[in-house]
Amino acid sequence: MNDKTIVTHNGNFHADDVFSIAALKIIFPSFTLIRTRDNAIINDADVVIDVGGQYDPETDRFDHHQRGGAGARENGIPFSSFGLVWKKYGLAICDDNQDVANAVDAGLVSTIDAIDCGHVEGVATGISLSQTISMFNPTWEEESNFDTAFDQAVEFAHTLLIRFVASARGGLNAKKIVAQAIKQADDPRLIVLERYTPWKKTVHSLSEEALYVVYPSHSGKWIVQTVPAELGSFEDRKPLPAPWAGLSDSEFQAVTGIDDAMFCHNGLFIAGAESFESVMSLATMALEY
């Protein structure tokens, strides 16, 4: 099969065209990229991104600059070229997992679309990923090799996109594991995970009763951690017992009576022990304190 010819505009670039090409690198193992505004070349291309004045997914035309644009999401965010590419190819990029594709769209694609289209209401302030991509453009004081800079930006975006997909997949898988642990808990105040799994969002959304979460650390030791009162808060639904604060090793073992207890943070939000049985004893003490 002959390589695809993909065309996007030359000159200054933005996050939407950069991420569009990064996404297509996942779909098409090899292709020829041409950056131009020459209509003859655009018309002959297999895929056209962010130029050409046409949106037609059947023929792989993904522009949004034509009169009337190229549509918008239900939440009002218009589609840029990246959003249009994602509509067609996002599911395949995410191995046909619609939940993952939706999560990447919500967390990455729609934000880039919003910024590119000037629909910035609700977009977080501070330096954005779109601004970061724009910084790959040569400044007025540098040699204006936009094509080389574009290639560098695409490689950066390609890596980020792969990590966004992995993160979205990991988050959804973690939600299933934690939801099952909540359902199976002997005591709804204490959630036990067989392996470390990101848990805070799921616990907050599914359990108002959970006070502590027990899980193994990466070193094989066991941890009991408090559930925050609110996501991102330093306040806990129930702190660990005050007499434990800042203790470790023999001092912590003397106070708790557990011979392999290891530590309790001075902030009373996390404590650890060598064995599962011991950390469960710590959790039971904390519940009864």
Side-chain angles (χ1 to χ4, degrees):
M1 180 176 129
N2 293 330
D3 289 348
K4 296 271 189 183
T5 297
I6 299 178
V7 168
T8 188
H9 61 80
N10 56 3
N12 202 65
F13 51 83
H14 302 96
D16 65 326
D17 43 307
V18 168
F19 268 96
S20 294
I21 302 301
L24 294 176
K25 282 172 65 70
I26 300 173
I27 295 296
F28 304 118
S30 64
F31 57 82
T32 299
L33 176 65
I34 301 174
R35 301 186 69 236
T36 183
R37 294 186 184 275
D38 186 315
N39 286 328
I41 298 175
I42 291 170
N43 292 336
D44 285 342
D46 296 299
V47 185
V48 180
I49 302 295
D50 208 39
V51 71
Q54 185 182 9
Y55 170 50
D56 182 2
E58 295 299 319
T59 58
D60 282 331
R61 266 55 188 164
F62 302 104
D63 197 12
H64 65 110
H65 295 103
Q66 58 272 26
R67 180 175 295 182
R73 294 171 173 79
E74 292 182 1
N75 61 8
I77 295 177
F79 289 104
S80 75
S81 60
F82 185 30
L84 299 176
V85 168
W86 194 258
K87 279 181 70 176
K88 180 168 181 177
Y89 290 113
L91 189 58
I93 289 171
C94 297
D95 298 324
D96 295 323
N97 188 318
Q98 188 65 62
D99 289 335
V100 173
N102 291 344
V104 175
D105 183 74
L108 172 67
V109 185
S110 64
T111 299
I112 289 175
D113 284 359
I115 293 172
D116 190 78
C117 296
H119 188 94
V120 295
E121 183 178 353
V123 175
T125 57
I127 188 167
S128 68
L129 186 52
S130 294
Q131 289 172 300
T132 301
I133 293 294
S134 292
M135 290 170 67
F136 279 84
N137 284 287
T139 71
W140 66 274
E141 295 177 305
E142 298 172 317
E143 181 182 350
S144 298
N145 193 333
F146 282 95
D147 288 350
T148 298
F150 183 84
D151 290 342
Q152 293 170 343
V154 166
E155 288 303 313
F156 174 75
H158 180 254
T159 300
L160 283 180
L161 180 56
I162 290 173
R163 298 313 305 156
F164 263 96
V165 171
S167 178
R169 182 181 292 113
L172 289 166
N173 290 339
K175 183 176 181 179
K176 293 177 183 177
I177 292 170
V178 176
Q180 187 66 18
I182 292 171
K183 183 178 179 180
Q184 294 178 340
D186 294 330
D187 184 335
R189 300 174 299 169
L190 179 60
I191 310 303
V192 178
L193 300 173
E194 295 181 359
R195 57 181 292 192
Y196 173 74
T197 311
W199 53 266
K200 290 183 181 179
K201 287 185 179 179
T202 304
V203 168
H204 266 273
S205 64
L206 296 183
S207 175
E208 296 180 355
E209 299 175 271
L211 300 177
Y212 305 115
V213 176
V214 164
Y215 57 86
S217 71
H218 296 297
S219 65
K221 314 303 183 185
W222 284 85
I223 299 296
V224 56
Q225 187 169 348
T226 58
V227 176
E230 301 290 342
L231 287 176
S233 171
F234 288 101
E235 295 184 12
D236 303 304
R237 289 180 177 178
K238 185 179 182 182
L240 295 170
W244 298 359
L247 300 182
S248 62
D249 300 327
S250 59
E251 290 182 326
F252 191 32
Q253 293 159 10
V255 168
T256 61
I258 298 174
D259 58 10
D260 64 346
M262 297 187 302
F263 75 95
C264 180
H265 193 281
N266 193 51
L268 297 172
F269 71 92
I270 192 170
E274 293 276 352
S275 68
F276 172 72
E277 293 75 17
S278 294
V279 86
M280 288 297 287
S281 295
L282 290 176
T284 300
M285 290 180 185
L287 287 171
E288 295 174 351
Y289 180 75

